[in-house]
Each structure stands twice: as structure tokens, then as C-alpha cells.
């Protein structure tokens, strides 16, 4: 899942970026409002963490512009304890959740998962297609009760395909969801990753189809 962290406090931003990457997110970080606004205009994120107190364009303005562009990406705002008015204005402007600093990283991650689930309207923290299941909280994929050993990136790829099961997912879309700005991702990288994931899933009867010229699609094991 691709996430944008907007935070001007370098220590907090680095810590968050590292934590979320370890949890399997493709995390980008913007440290001012202008950079965030431009990233949100040009890239597709699955969820955004937005600090409201930013130098230059503040977080509320970033949020206002985002919603003016009709983007529905879930936004979790971060506010200082003494800026509760901003929190209310943020929610009025279309933020989906908020946390007051300082916060507990595990709680932040739980809130992010809740926002991602709400976005999919599928309910539950577990994705399931036939015997294949993926637990977004523990980042564990299983066939029946058997765990499938996958790398963090393979798990992210599987997650994107499962969240869109039965629909074609283009390479561009996969690149956007799986790689950050700093990574030189090419469509070759997606093909290599797809090859490895398929090899691990094929033996369990899970088929990822190539829809020529369009992308990939995950079928259920029965098909
Ligand atoms: Ca700040």
C-alpha cells in the first residue's frame, strides 16, 4: 500500500517512514505543504498522514486542495495537543481520522488499517479469496492454515491484487502502489516480482492471469 507522510519534524518523519516501510507500506515523505500538494496532485496514494502545522502552506490548505480535486484518499491528520480547533477544521474539510501528538506508532498503524478497510468497503481485517487469505495486521498470507512464505514486497503485491480480485490491475498501478519516489522501479521490476509470486502461488492453485496489454488479475482458486 502506498502512503504519503506529510511531516516537517525530521525526526518524527524519519521514524514514521522507517516504521511504516518495515510494516510493508511503500512510504513517501513530504516535509512541507507545497511538496505534499504536488505529490498528491501527481501520484496515487492509498492513505495519507498529514501533519497540520507545516511551514508555508499548512496542512489544512493541503487538505482543502486535495478535496477540491475530488480526491477521496483517506487522510489521517496529526495535530499538536494545543491545536484542537485545527483538528475540528480538519475534520470539517474532509479528514477521516486524527491523532494528537505524541502518539503511539502501533495505534497509528491500527488506525491506518481501519482507514484502508473503510476505503474498500469489504469489512474485516482479513482478505479472503477461496482458500487464500491475507491478514493485513500481521501481514501473513495463508492457503487454508498453511502459511505461504513471501517477501515483504511479494506480500504487498499480493495484497494489491487481492484487494482488487477479479479486476485487472495495470503495471502502472502496481508500480504506484508498491514503490516510493526513491526507488527506480521499472515495469521489469514488476515482471520479476510477479514471476516470483506466481511461482510461490501456482503450486497452491492460485492463478494470477496476465491480461495482455492491460495488466494482471487474480483469479480465485476454484477458477
Ligand atoms: Ca509540524
Amino acid at each position: 500500500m502506498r502512503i504519503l507522510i506529510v511531516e516537517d519534524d525530521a525526526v518524527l518523519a524519519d521514524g514514521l517512514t522507517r516504521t511504516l516501510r518495515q510494516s510493508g507500506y511503500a512510504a513517501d515523505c513530504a516535509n512541507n505543504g507545497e511538496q505534499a500538494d504536488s505529490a498528491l496532485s501527481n501520484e496515487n496514494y492509498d492513505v495519507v498522514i498529514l501533519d497540520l502545522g507545516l511551514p508555508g502552506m499548512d496542512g489544512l490548505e493541503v487538505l482543502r486542495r486535495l478535496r477540491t480535486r475530488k480526491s477521496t484518499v483517506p487522510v489521517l491528520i496529526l495535530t499538536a495537543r494545543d491545536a484542537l480547533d485545527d483538528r475540528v477544521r480538519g475534520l470539517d474539510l474532509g479528514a477521516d481520522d486524527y491523532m494528537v501528538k505524541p502518539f503511539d506508532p502501533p495505534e497509528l498503524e491500527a488506525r491506518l488499517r481501519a482507514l484502508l478497510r473503510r476505503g474498500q468497503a469489504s469489512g474485516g481485517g482479513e482478505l479472503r479469496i477461496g482458500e487464500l487469505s491475507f491478514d493485513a495486521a500481521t501481514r501473513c498470507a495463508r492457503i487454508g492454515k498453511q502459511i505461504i512464505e513471501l517477501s515483504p514486497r511479494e506480500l504487498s503485491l499480493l495484497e494489491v491484487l487481492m484487494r482488487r480480485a477479479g479486476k485487472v490491475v495495470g503495471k502502472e498501478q502496481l508500480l504506484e502502489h508498491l514503490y516510493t519516489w526513491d526507488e527506480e522501479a521499472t515495469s521489469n521490476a514488476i515482471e520479476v516480482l510477479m514471476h516470483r509470486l506466481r511461482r510461490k502461488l501456482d503450486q497452491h492453485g492460485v492463478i494470477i492471469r496476465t491480461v495482455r496489454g492491460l495488466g494482471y488479475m487474480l483469479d480465485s482458486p476454484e477458477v
Side-chain angles (χ1 to χ4, degrees):
M1 295 284 101
R2 185 100 185 262
I3 187 167
L4 180 67
I5 301 160
V6 188
E7 173 59 67
D8 61 312
D9 177 327
V11 175
L12 181 55
D14 283 355
L16 271 179
T17 306
R18 216 168 316 131
T19 304
L20 292 172
R21 283 184 183 168
Q22 271 164 11
S23 299
Y25 290 91
D28 286 326
C29 188
N31 47 33
N32 62 60
E34 285 76 10
Q35 200 188 1
D37 186 52
S38 135
L40 289 167
S41 304
N42 296 309
E43 317 257 346
N44 273 311
Y45 290 96
D46 298 296
V47 64
V48 180
I49 298 174
L50 177 63
D51 178 34
L52 292 185
L54 297 170
M57 186 192 298
D58 70 10
L60 288 171
E61 178 61 16
V62 173
L63 181 61
R64 195 189 62 76
R65 291 184 181 211
L66 178 72
R67 294 309 187 214
T68 302
R69 289 191 297 272
K70 305 279 183 241
S71 166
T72 57
V73 59
V75 176
L76 184 151
I77 52 179
L78 301 177
T79 57
R81 194 163 291 282
D82 57 1
L84 293 184
D85 283 356
D86 282 353
R87 183 191 72 194
V88 174
R89 279 166 61 210
L91 293 171
D92 283 344
L93 281 171
D96 300 277
D97 199 359
Y98 69 90
M99 290 198 81
V100 176
K101 294 181 192 179
F103 53 83
D104 207 21
E107 188 186 347
L108 176 75
E109 289 198 52
R111 303 275 195 100
L112 292 175
R113 287 195 296 272
L115 288 179
L116 287 166
R117 278 202 299 279
R118 234 179 283 164
Q120 268 104 37
S122 56
E126 194 180 68
L127 302 167
R128 185 176 283 282
I129 297 166
E131 286 289 290
L132 175 67
S133 65
F134 176 81
D135 184 331
T138 58
R139 305 207 59 76
C140 187
R142 287 187 176 83
I143 294 280
K145 292 207 158 99
Q146 186 190 347
I147 291 177
I148 315 171
E149 296 290 341
L150 298 173
S151 72
R153 190 92 79 190
E154 289 162 359
L155 280 168
S156 297
L157 174 58
L158 179 64
E159 182 180 12
V160 173
L161 292 171
M162 284 185 81
R163 288 190 189 279
R164 293 165 180 75
K167 294 186 195 130
V168 178
V169 188
K171 268 190 206 169
E172 282 302 312
Q173 241 178 314
L174 290 172
L175 283 170
E176 278 181 0
H177 284 289
L178 298 178
Y179 295 91
T180 66
W181 296 332
D182 327 323
E183 298 168 307
E184 288 283 331
T186 59
S187 68
N188 279 0
I190 291 288
E191 280 172 25
V192 171
L193 189 64
M194 188 64 77
H195 177 77
R196 289 208 303 261
L197 180 63
R198 273 181 168 149
R199 217 175 41 206
K200 294 180 183 177
L201 293 182
D202 273 1
Q203 52 185 315
H204 299 291
V206 179
I207 306 299
I208 302 168
R209 284 201 284 142
T210 300
V211 183
R212 202 186 304 172
L214 293 175
Y216 303 95
M217 191 168 108
L218 183 64
D219 283 344
S220 66
E222 292 88 347
V223 176

